[in-house]
């Protein structure tokens, strides 16, 4: 699933394309997009005639700004499991599983191709989008100035849940998924399945720093492509070559050479180093 760095790569690509011409037409397939059904109706027709502007991001959501005749509008896009949000020309053939096309007056198009249809779309008055679900329910942005171990601890330090699962909770911290949670826990030297409430201040600080480091590195590498992810020009990311432990169970730890150990918890897989992320008793410092 695209996580913060992949969505940020898409955001940057859209921003760089400098799309400014008004929306001429909107195509939407008849197929439902699953995540989006929880956010009320898609309301895409409000974008007709509106002019696209800045492209923002919140967690794993793109929030594309539009200026309409009477309101500042927005379009929320979630890429789900397999969604690709890409640039095209009107004359380019449409791929199978194209569920949404925004055609602009200059002949350029933005298309959502999503074979598994776990994504979501919603348009509306921007202020209303920003203050309603899903955006208003998200936790803090890990790359914002001011994010640190204290911010993370404030939201998670009382939890009895496994730390890796807490990091995947978008209400606790926005944008982190399994890949970057597993990578950050390795980098911080913390066992992924300890109860969050066992961490002390120093461990939260180390984890917050590790999260920022792995997310920033992944953005610099254009995101991680394990299968589906592509940027707006159709290019794969390069960060999959830089992952320290994710997807590498059985291979040697890059730090100590011990074989990495895979695990499954809550239906999700993960990887850890048994030496650098040992089980410990008592508080984690
Ligand atoms: Zn190791």
């Amino acid at each position: 699933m695209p996580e913060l760095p992949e969505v940020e790569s898409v955001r940057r690509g859209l921003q760089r394309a400098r799309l400014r011409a008004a929306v001429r037409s909107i195509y939407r397939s008849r197929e439902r997009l699953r995540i989006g059904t929880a956010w009320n109706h898609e309301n895409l027709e409000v974008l007709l005639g509106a002019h696209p502007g800045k492209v923002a991001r919140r967690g794993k959501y793109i929030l594309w700004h539009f200026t309409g005749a009477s309101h500042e509008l927005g379009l929320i896009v979630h890429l789900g499991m397999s969604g690709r949000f890409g640039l095209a020309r009107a004359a380019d053939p449409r791929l199978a599983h194209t569920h949404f096309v925004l055609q602009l007056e200059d002949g350029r198009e933005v298309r959502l191709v999503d074979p598994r249809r776990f994504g979501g779309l919603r348009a509306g008055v921007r202020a209303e989008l920003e203050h309603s679900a899903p955006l208003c329910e998200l936790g803090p942005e890990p790359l914002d100035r001011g994010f640190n171990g204290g911010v993370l601890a404030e939201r998670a330090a009382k939890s009895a849940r496994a730390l890796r699962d807490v990091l995947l909770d978008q209400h606790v911290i926005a944008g982190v998924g399994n890949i970057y949670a597993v990578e950050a826990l390795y980098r911080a030297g913390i066992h992924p399945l300890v109860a969050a409430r066992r961490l002390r201040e120093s461990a939260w600080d180390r984890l917050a720093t590790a999260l920022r480091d792995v997310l920033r590195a992944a953005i610099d590498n254009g995101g991680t492509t394990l299968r589906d992810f592509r940027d707006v020009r159709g290019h794969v990311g390069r960060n999959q070559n830089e992952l320290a432990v994710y997807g590498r169970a059985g291979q040697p730890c890059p730090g100590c050479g011990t074989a990495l150990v895979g695990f499954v918890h809550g239906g999700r897989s993960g990887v850890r180093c048994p030496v650098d992320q040992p089980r410990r008793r008592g508080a984690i410092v």
Side-chain angles (χ1 to χ4, degrees), residues 4-5 8 12 57-59 139-148 173-176 208-220:
L4 188 158
E8 177 65 17
R12 291 182 181 188
R57 180 191 55 74
R58 186 75 174 87
E141 287 288 326
L143 297 182
D144 275 2
R145 196 190 296 265
F147 178 83
N148 57 33
I173 176 174
V176 177
T209 300
L211 280 164
R212 288 165 72 102
D213 289 348
V214 296
L215 294 169
R216 282 210 190 95
I219 292 170
D220 290 344

Side-chain angles (χ1 to χ4, degrees), residues 2-11 57 59-62:
E3 303 180 27
L4 188 158
E6 292 74 48
V7 179
E8 177 65 17
S9 298
V10 170
R11 185 198 74 76
R57 180 191 55 74
K60 301 178 193 174
Y61 301 89
I62 287 167

Side-chain angles (χ1 to χ4, degrees), residues 1-2 35 78-83 114 117-120:
M1 177 190 278
I35 290 179
H78 191 289
L79 299 173
M81 302 290 288
S82 57
D114 189 358
R117 289 189 287 111
F118 276 99

Side-chain angles (χ1 to χ4, degrees), residues 176-283:
V176 177
N178 200 26
I179 296 173
Y180 300 106
V182 165
E183 290 287 305
L185 286 161
Y186 168 76
R187 196 177 283 223
I190 302 172
H191 193 295
L193 301 182
V194 295
R197 64 185 177 199
R198 290 176 52 199
L199 268 63
R200 295 296 171 262
E201 194 181 334
S202 54
W204 286 116
D205 286 341
R206 204 159 71 245
L207 182 55
T209 300
L211 280 164
R212 288 165 72 102
D213 289 348
V214 296
L215 294 169
R216 282 210 190 95
I219 292 170
D220 290 344
N221 289 326
T224 297
T225 300
L226 296 178
R227 225 169 67 177
D228 297 303
F229 172 69
R230 301 287 186 281
D231 68 13
V232 294
R233 303 206 173 271
H235 300 140
V236 300
R238 299 177 307 280
N239 199 59
Q240 60 279 8
N241 306 321
E242 309 297 330
L243 297 174
V245 292
Y246 186 87
R248 301 191 188 279
Q251 296 178 32
C253 166
C256 71
T258 310
L260 297 169
V261 179
F263 65 88
V264 178
H265 187 263
R268 286 173 188 270
S269 64
V271 184
R272 70 180 178 97
C273 172
V275 173
D276 295 314
Q277 299 167 274
R279 287 182 194 281
R280 292 184 198 281
R281 291 174 176 277

Side-chain angles (χ1 to χ4, degrees), residues 28 31-44 61 75-81 112 114 116-123 129 133-134:
R28 177 71 176 85
E31 311 263 18
R32 281 194 327 154
L33 295 174
R34 290 172 222 190
I35 290 179
T37 55
W39 321 332
N40 303 320
H41 63 297
E42 293 178 343
N43 203 25
L44 301 173
Y61 301 89
L75 170 65
I76 299 176
V77 183
H78 191 289
L79 299 173
M81 302 290 288
L112 176 68
D114 189 358
R116 297 172 71 185
R117 289 189 287 111
F118 276 99
L121 295 166
R122 187 180 175 196
L129 293 177

